[in-house]
Amino acid sequence: MTKRSLAAAAFVLLSSTVSATDIGATFETACPFGDCAAGISLSYLGEFVIPTGHMENGVEFGGISGLDFDAATGHYIAISDDRSERGPARFYELEVDLDASGLKGVSVVKQVTLKDKNGEPFAARTVDPESIRLGKDGIYWGSEGDGKALLAPFVRVASPDGSFVREFKLPEGFAPTADKSTGIRDNLAFEDLAVAPSGDVFVGVEAALYQDGSNPSLTSGSLSRIVRYDGATGEPKAEYVYPVSPIPQAATKSDGGNDNGMSEFLALDDHRLLAVERSYAQGFGNNIKIMMMDLTDATDVSAIASLAKNDQRVVPVRKSQVLDLRAIGLVPDNIEAMSLGKAKDGADVLILGSDNNFSPSQKTQFYAFKVLSRPQQ
């Protein structure tokens, strides 16, 4: 049975809105990577916060790690990365109250349980949902897997009621291995999912596979792979290299933890994507940078088993920073979700969402920007 909540009604969630940026402030990148046809301009529309601990139908709301707009309903779908521990693995349908005057609220319309291939909800810790998009034949969603448990990542298609439809083929070299010689790193796997207008599907890992090099550090970056799929067949078509930047901020203590990784991307067209680089430094917090990438002329590395042990010429995707949330005066949490969509007044918008990790020291945070201009073909 599919578990749904609040099927007809939507309840506005609690808000504690704090912003250091004025509504209407504009941020423009005229010529990313020197390409003025790729220019993008955004206008800030505000922040909305849902405190950790908010309950929906007896299940804690949070862990928002993916977000996408449904033009048919005017609502958004949002996936939780709860590993079927606090409740069944699930996604939400959200209504976002947003217009030219700003972001006023987020409402839960319903909650849908994701089903395994057997038609049943996922057992605890057998799945780690991290991304969600609407595709031509259903809801595309990704699980990060579990490197420690040797649980492979996957991308699947679900029906609107959460039932399994089909699964994409996992390319060679991505499955975790016990000796950590190849495959995904734990908690650094399938974080990113995008669907291009052509129907092609892009899937990205947060940081390098074991055979491709190291994690980001304060002095060096990491080589993440992006898989390009034929969306209709689920077969891989190509792989590209995205160079994740070095960690931009040291922890406040010498033994403090810090990291950086690509936590989400979305397709602007068939070759340009926006990506979130999300970093964390203990004692400081998160840095969130929005990058634009262009896959044009990037090397297909699907036949290269190891980027670290390779003598072939590799051209990574081009990338250029288009927005730094800290630099414009915001204090972002753990941003892992990003969607283009429509405001209630019909304006094109970009919405970011955070994964609160179900932690009382974090929050589910949404930022909204009006899209004033975007890349031209």
Side-chain angles (χ1 to χ4, degrees), residues 8 11 21 26 28-29 32 39-40 55 104 107 128 131 178 180 194 199 204 207 222 286 307 336 348 355 358 361 369:
F11 296 92
T21 301
T26 299
E28 181 178 14
T29 303
I40 187 167
M55 304 296 288
K104 302 180 186 68
S107 305
D128 183 6
S131 52
K180 301 180 180 180
S222 186
N286 294 102
L307 296 174
E336 291 195 2
D348 293 325
D355 171 7
F358 298 97
S361 64
F369 297 84

Side-chain angles (χ1 to χ4, degrees), residues 130 144 187-192 204-208 216 222-225 242 244 259-263 278 336:
E130 293 286 351
E144 189 170 30
N187 207 33
L188 292 172
F190 281 4
E191 283 279 344
D192 321 298
V205 293
E206 187 172 348
S222 186
L223 302 179
S224 291
R225 291 198 187 220
Y242 178 89
V244 174
D259 60 20
N260 192 33
M262 180 169 58
S263 65
R278 180 273 323 276
E336 291 195 2

Side-chain angles (χ1 to χ4, degrees), residues 90-157:
R90 59 198 176 277
F91 68 89
Y92 297 94
E93 182 177 333
L94 304 178
E95 182 174 1
V96 178
D97 187 359
L98 174 65
D99 59 26
S101 63
L103 176 58
K104 302 180 186 68
V106 177
S107 305
V108 175
V109 179
K110 62 185 175 184
Q111 174 181 304
V112 181
T113 297
L114 290 163
K115 307 290 183 55
D116 206 345
K117 293 179 180 179
N118 59 8
E120 298 295 326
F122 285 87
R125 300 196 67 80
T126 61
V127 67
D128 183 6
E130 293 286 351
S131 52
I132 192 166
R133 297 288 173 199
L134 284 168
K136 292 183 178 180
D137 62 331
I139 295 169
Y140 295 9
W141 67 282
S143 170
E144 189 170 30
D146 188 325
K148 293 179 181 177
L150 302 184
L151 188 67
F154 63 71
V155 175
R156 292 182 179 178
V157 180

Side-chain angles (χ1 to χ4, degrees), residues 1-307:
M1 295 293 290
T2 298
K3 183 177 180 180
R4 294 172 180 257
S5 67
L6 310 180
F11 296 92
V12 177
L13 302 174
L14 296 174
S15 169
S16 58
T17 303
V18 178
S19 175
T21 301
D22 293 335
I23 303 298
T26 299
F27 311 98
E28 181 178 14
T29 303
C31 302
F33 27 72
D35 180 4
C36 296
I40 187 167
S41 180
L42 304 169
S43 176
Y44 183 64
L45 289 175
E47 175 189 14
F48 188 86
V49 168
I50 301 168
T52 294
H54 180 87
M55 304 296 288
E56 287 291 339
N57 195 35
V59 177
E60 186 175 356
F61 181 88
I64 300 304
S65 297
L67 186 72
D68 205 24
F69 179 67
D70 185 353
T73 63
H75 295 162
Y76 292 79
I77 53 174
I79 200 163
S80 171
D81 72 355
D82 180 4
R83 300 186 184 191
S84 284
E85 294 178 297
R86 290 170 174 80
R90 59 198 176 277
F91 68 89
Y92 297 94
E93 182 177 333
L94 304 178
E95 182 174 1
V96 178
D97 187 359
L98 174 65
D99 59 26
S101 63
L103 176 58
K104 302 180 186 68
V106 177
S107 305
V108 175
V109 179
K110 62 185 175 184
Q111 174 181 304
V112 181
T113 297
L114 290 163
K115 307 290 183 55
D116 206 345
K117 293 179 180 179
N118 59 8
E120 298 295 326
F122 285 87
R125 300 196 67 80
T126 61
V127 67
D128 183 6
E130 293 286 351
S131 52
I132 192 166
R133 297 288 173 199
L134 284 168
K136 292 183 178 180
D137 62 331
I139 295 169
Y140 295 9
W141 67 282
S143 170
E144 189 170 30
D146 188 325
K148 293 179 181 177
L150 302 184
L151 188 67
F154 63 71
V155 175
R156 292 182 179 178
V157 180
S159 62
D161 69 358
S163 299
F164 173 82
V165 175
R166 61 189 176 98
E167 185 170 339
F168 285 32
K169 181 180 179 180
L170 185 68
E172 291 291 327
F174 282 78
T177 54
D179 63 2
K180 301 180 180 180
S181 59
T182 62
I184 60 168
R185 285 180 160 87
D186 187 55
N187 207 33
L188 292 172
F190 281 4
E191 283 279 344
D192 321 298
L193 181 63
V195 179
S198 65
D200 280 359
V201 175
F202 300 100
V203 180
V205 293
E206 187 172 348
L209 302 174
Y210 276 114
Q211 67 269 30
D212 288 337
S214 60
N215 286 344
S217 71
L218 289 168
T219 57
S220 63
S222 186
L223 302 179
S224 291
R225 291 198 187 220
I226 295 173
V227 183
R228 185 173 197 151
Y229 283 98
D230 181 316
T233 66
E235 291 290 323
K237 294 173 64 174
E239 294 177 22
Y240 311 106
V241 175
Y242 178 89
V244 174
S245 301
I247 299 170
Q249 174 73 41
T252 57
K253 294 183 178 180
S254 60
D255 60 348
N258 53 17
D259 60 20
N260 192 33
M262 180 169 58
S263 65
E264 184 60 294
F265 56 39
L266 62 81
L268 295 171
D269 52 38
D270 289 330
H271 62 97
R272 299 187 188 102
L273 295 87
L274 290 183
V276 175
E277 287 201 20
R278 180 273 323 276
S279 69
Y280 173 77
Q282 192 172 353
F284 175 82
N286 294 102
N287 264 302
I288 304 296
K289 297 181 180 180
I290 310 300
M291 305 288 186
M292 185 183 294
M293 74 173 88
D294 191 337
L295 307 180
T296 304
D297 299 325
T299 302
D300 177 2
V301 298
S302 57
I304 299 176
S306 168
L307 296 174

